[in-house]
Amino acid sequence: MTPYLWAPALKGSVQVNNAPKAKMNLSAWDMIQMLDFSAAGRFEARNGRWSGFADVFYAKVSDGGDG
């Protein structure tokens, strides 16, 4: 088993149509604090010369918030 960590960060700006640009700057720590759910997994099976694997990731995004 090999553990791994995925720590994303966001930095930039967003704009919808002619509205003013909104800047965003979220560090990996900010995103961990707001984390709703995350999962990852890998399964591998071998039998002689045959093998197969699955690599799965799941992230739940809640609806709601301030805006």
Side-chain angles (χ1 to χ4, degrees), residues 1-6 37-43 54-59:
M1 181 189 299
T2 304
Y4 63 94
L5 175 68
W6 181 57
F37 189 82
S38 178
R42 179 182 166 107
F43 176 77
D55 192 5
V56 181
F57 177 78
Y58 171 78

Side-chain angles (χ1 to χ4, degrees), residues 6-28:
W6 181 57
L10 294 173
K11 185 174 185 179
S13 61
V14 294
Q15 183 178 21
V16 178
N17 295 330
N18 293 326
K21 286 185 180 179
K23 292 186 179 186
M24 60 182 175
N25 188 1
L26 290 171
S27 68

Side-chain angles (χ1 to χ4, degrees), residues 47-61:
N47 186 6
R49 64 181 202 167
W50 297 95
S51 66
F53 75 93
D55 192 5
V56 181
F57 177 78
Y58 171 78
K60 179 179 177 280
V61 179

